[in-house]
Amino acid sequence: MSNLRIAVQKSGRLNEDSMRILKDIGISIDNGKDQLKAAARDFPVEVFYLRNGDIPQYLKDGVVDAAIIGENVLIEKGSDIEFVERLGFSKCKVSIAVPKDSNANSLKDLAGKRIATSYPETVKKFLKAQNIDAQLHQINGSVEIAPNIGLADGICDIVSSGSTLFKNGLKEIEVLLKSEAVLAVSPKISEERKAILNKIQFRIQSVLKGRNSKYVLLNAPNDKLENILSLLPGMRSPTVLPLAEKGWSSVHTVINKNEFWEIIDELKANGAEGILVCPIEKMVL
């Protein structure tokens, strides 16, 4: 069986998150950060370490079969490339910002103005859709400095925490898109390698479901059990086991982490006691 060739960003946070999820799905890479290519020890995969902006072209050309890449980069340089899975990490926004003392407070205020960006194709499409005409200056890196040196009236760049905008005296006025890491696929992938990719995708889904869930165990008085069970979700339904103490049951279930605190508060209010919460490594459904 030939190896699946998967690209990841050469360095940075996306690299770290990509290598972490590969490790979590059982794919171990030796000394990958120091090489341009490394093979997995225990799975038919080769990892290519590439510049993020170059990955879409490698996918188009079939040099790599798949990639973990920011959706924002895919939209900018590989809009015709499909992705099969959102990965839930490296989240950011592509936003337009202007100096804090600017009179511009919305996108329409930049009509006829100058916008500096590393994402010219994304901005062009967005401005066209909004029927706004503006001048674009393409800059590779340090886009946020452009208004301060008189190069542009506003910028369009990725925003994670917003601290870079704050440090450079900028304010966000428009969000073009929200992005996260995705698993993208080359249009030239072979059927044999697609079968390997399907196995990887299945493992990733199991890890992501685990990351997004909590395993909850609690004790419930039997006279309040019906109310408590009505609050609980589960993969099929909660598990209920009798305790040694009469009149009490142990309830086991899985809760989505985004709903966790709200549900816990309701459980306590309905008589649940001894609530234990455990992380889930993987969920295979």
Side-chain angles (χ1 to χ4, degrees):
M1 179 180 290
S2 59
N3 288 340
L4 178 81
R5 302 161 301 177
I6 185 167
V8 300
Q9 184 174 297
K10 189 175 181 180
S11 60
R13 182 179 174 185
L14 182 53
N15 168 274
E16 294 171 1
D17 289 338
S18 299
M19 299 314 296
R20 177 187 171 197
I21 199 166
L22 289 177
K23 181 179 180 181
D24 287 347
I25 65 172
I27 297 177
S28 300
I29 308 293
D30 288 326
N31 300 322
K33 287 185 179 180
D34 300 324
Q35 304 175 42
L36 294 179
K37 184 176 75 170
R41 293 198 305 266
D42 43 14
F43 201 82
V45 164
E46 287 181 311
V47 176
F48 287 62
Y49 299 88
L50 305 172
R51 288 179 65 252
N52 209 32
D54 293 338
I55 291 176
Q57 192 61 51
Y58 281 100
L59 286 166
K60 290 178 184 178
D61 294 341
V63 176
V64 295
D65 306 301
I68 297 176
I69 186 173
E71 184 182 4
N72 56 303
V73 178
L74 209 58
I75 290 172
E76 174 66 22
K77 296 189 174 184
S79 58
D80 53 338
I81 298 173
E82 296 183 354
F83 65 85
V84 294
E85 197 73 43
R86 293 185 178 275
L87 302 178
F89 55 79
S90 296
K91 293 185 178 182
C92 66
K93 299 177 290 183
V94 176
S95 300
I96 290 179
V98 297
K100 289 182 179 178
D101 59 0
S102 171
N103 292 326
N105 293 302
S106 66
L107 185 63
K108 65 181 181 180
D109 294 329
L110 289 179
K113 303 293 185 180
R114 302 163 298 167
I115 301 174
T117 184
S118 299
Y119 297 91
E121 296 304 318
T122 302
V123 180
K124 284 178 187 177
K125 291 176 184 176
F126 189 81
L127 292 178
K128 184 177 181 180
Q130 300 296 319
N131 197 28
I132 292 174
D133 185 25
Q135 301 173 36
L136 295 187
H137 290 279
Q138 184 173 351
I139 298 178
N140 295 319
S142 301
V143 174
E144 62 278 353
I145 199 174
N148 294 328
I149 61 176
L151 183 61
D153 302 293
I155 69 164
C156 182
D157 201 11
I158 58 170
V159 176
S160 296
S161 65
S163 61
T164 301
L165 294 183
F166 178 79
K167 290 176 183 177
N168 287 275
L170 301 172
K171 62 181 181 182
E172 182 182 79
I173 63 170
E174 186 79 29
V175 177
L176 277 65
L177 61 93
K178 294 183 178 180
S179 172
E180 63 184 278
V182 296
L183 181 63
V185 185
S186 169
K188 296 185 177 182
I189 188 171
S190 68
E191 289 300 318
E192 182 181 22
R193 289 172 174 168
K194 188 181 291 185
I196 301 172
L197 182 64
N198 289 340
K199 291 182 180 179
I200 288 177
Q201 186 181 0
F202 172 76
R203 294 187 183 190
I204 287 175
Q205 289 171 346
S206 299
V207 169
L208 295 179
K209 286 171 185 172
R211 289 182 183 178
N212 291 325
S213 305
K214 300 288 185 182
Y215 189 75
V216 177
L217 303 87
L218 59 89
N219 295 329
N222 289 344
D223 59 349
K224 297 182 179 180
L225 189 58
E226 185 175 347
N227 288 341
I228 289 173
L229 292 179
S230 69
L231 300 171
L232 293 173
M235 288 181 287
R236 188 176 297 275
S237 65
T239 299
V240 181
L241 301 171
L243 291 179
E245 182 179 348
K246 291 184 178 180
W248 285 80
S249 295
S250 174
V251 179
H252 301 220
T253 193
V254 174
I255 295 178
N256 186 292
K257 70 175 185 180
N258 295 324
E259 303 171 348
F260 171 73
W261 285 113
E262 182 179 342
I263 292 177
I264 291 297
D265 288 340
E266 292 189 44
L267 290 172
K268 289 179 63 181
N270 280 272
E273 297 182 6
I275 302 173
L276 299 179
V277 181
C278 306
I280 299 175
E281 185 174 316
K282 298 174 183 68
M283 285 178 61
V284 180
L285 302 179

